[in-house]
Amino acid sequence: MEESMKPPLGELDIPVSESGFYEGFSKNVAVSAKILVGLLIVWAVAFPESAAETLGALNGFILASFNSWYIYAVAFFLILCLVLAALPASGRLRLGQDDERPEFSNFSWFSMMFSAGIGIGMLTFATAEPIYHFQNNPHVIMGDVPAQTAETVRSAYIWSFAHWGLSAWACYAIAGLGFAYFSYRRGLPLTVRTALIPLFGKSLSGPIGHVIDIVAVVATILGVAQTLGFGVEQFVAGLNRIGFGDWLLVTGEGGTQKASFAAIIFALVVIMGASTLSALSGVGKGIKWLSNINMGLSFFLLAFFLIFGATFFSLTAMFVGIWDYLLALPGISFTVWSDDGTETGAALAGWQGGWTVFYWAWWIAVTPFVGLFLARVSRGRTVREFVLGAMLVPAMMCFIWFAFVGGTAIHLELTGEAGGSILGAGISDQLFATLAVILNDNLTWVFSVIVVVLLLTYLVTTADSAVLIVNTINAAGDDGPKAKPHIYFWGVALALVVGALLVIGGLGAIQTAMVIAALPFSLAMVLMGFALIKAIYNDSRRIAEGVPTTAPASAAE
């Protein structure tokens, strides 16, 4: 006979300072995280060659040794999310009290999720990724289809949708679900360690919990730095397009143009200054309104491509691409290519490390940030509503963007109208190059301005959300107002990380540091998945026995 269930643990005492500069903060987490991030900045600035060489060697080791770990971990997140949403026992559980209802409207909820989670990358990769896979992808490498032909389009979209579809959002959803479930149902602190409470219990109040939160902060800073790095490069490319001057760009290796040192500094001062002001206003004001502006401008730009882009070609690419992607998803989720000594094997392994494994590491690295943010804006929703809202709707938006923006770019190259101008542009400039082919000079300038403004609002939303989330982790889950110096510190630190890594090695250096930081947190995320399974199973038993599964309303506040 099974032992009767006891109420779940509804208290986790995380020591915080009661006075002084760190009042309300866990000094073990906040100080340690600041030291680690500070050391990275100093190392990158003072010893750029050593930093670049060491980070590169570590990155190569991780991609070679842990590629299968990343592939299987993300497959686990995807399967678990779908199962939790589908099962009645788990799907109907509410992230809060049983009678609680959502704080934000569906539109604002989706706007904030999309803006903070993926907005910047969408503007860069909606054009760049389909265009790249149009030139090279595993089907091309294996000789199934020729590169840069109409036959390549379907395979290009399989891989574009794979990287920005359900698997990506499952990473965010599984973590956000864990944070929200234990915080809002049980009254525990809204921080990363809380999501592991079923496995480690009250021991998370001590060193184990501190280490988990420190790793989460460092992963967040480097993951968001990757996102901001792409945004800064595209922001600078846009400023150059609208006439801010040639001083913004320099010629890098291989003849490609990239942001100059002065341009990086200028862009970061503008972006981080605006984001810090927004962060001071909190989620309900600055971030909410910026997110709504983002969505309005995004829909306007998307509507332009819907009407004036390659509409029929893009519609075909979207519907056929989704069908192909869903059929290929099981295989993609568990396929790991390794260098077997053949030219094809080496090419496939290199491609997977540079694309799929990189993406999985990127999504995992920003999961503390996006997951906590999703949890923060999702209180009162059911598990099923949260999972479906956090996975299906954003993934569908990504599919639409990739089909209509990237599809238009591919169509312009297939028909010869672009004359190679999009294929030949840098990754940060391909959206602007596409607009330049479609429109006359005056309209190109107008739409380039719109993209630059949209980029700026996305960058600000992402940066200020990250600063607020980092301070929430450092403050043991307290998402209330923070002392201004701590907001200023993380705003400056984030800008310095982006700037330092861009200067020592461009986007590649940021990518390398991010992949390294994602590895330890990926283990924490897998443990979160098992913690959720254990918690929901035990809660279903408690419900059957009439044992409370939520904290009293006063404790959950």
Side-chain angles (χ1 to χ4, degrees), residues 387-472:
V387 170
L388 296 180
M391 283 179 58
L392 297 185
V393 179
M396 193 63 208
M397 280 299 299
C398 292
F399 298 159
I400 294 171
W401 269 87
F402 274 68
F404 282 90
V405 181
T408 297
I410 290 176
H411 186 260
L412 291 171
E413 289 290 0
L414 279 173
T415 59
E417 292 177 66
S421 62
I422 302 172
L423 289 171
I427 187 173
S428 300
D429 196 39
Q430 286 177 329
L431 175 57
F432 298 107
T434 303
L435 290 170
V437 175
I438 300 172
L439 302 167
N440 62 39
D441 290 345
N442 291 332
L443 284 176
T444 297
W445 185 87
V446 170
F447 272 82
S448 295
V449 169
I450 291 172
V451 173
V452 168
V453 172
L454 181 56
L455 260 173
L456 181 59
T457 57
Y458 271 136
L459 285 162
V460 170
T461 304
T462 300
D464 61 15
S465 301
V467 168
L468 286 174
I469 291 304
V470 163
N471 274 318
T472 296

Side-chain angles (χ1 to χ4, degrees), residues 193-269:
R193 72 179 80 183
T194 297
L196 297 174
I197 201 80
L199 301 182
F200 298 101
K202 290 187 176 181
S203 64
L204 289 171
S205 296
I208 295 175
H210 300 333
V211 169
I212 291 167
D213 282 350
I214 291 166
V215 168
V217 169
V218 175
T220 297
I221 291 298
L222 291 175
V224 173
Q226 174 74 43
T227 305
L228 294 178
F230 281 119
V232 165
E233 288 278 358
Q234 192 172 26
F235 182 68
V236 170
L239 292 178
N240 176 259
R241 285 272 182 176
I242 62 178
F244 272 64
D246 294 335
W247 63 274
L248 294 163
L249 300 175
V250 294
T251 302
E253 295 181 8
T256 59
Q257 289 191 312
K258 62 179 184 177
S260 66
F261 177 77
I264 292 170
I265 299 302
F266 172 75
L268 288 173
V269 168

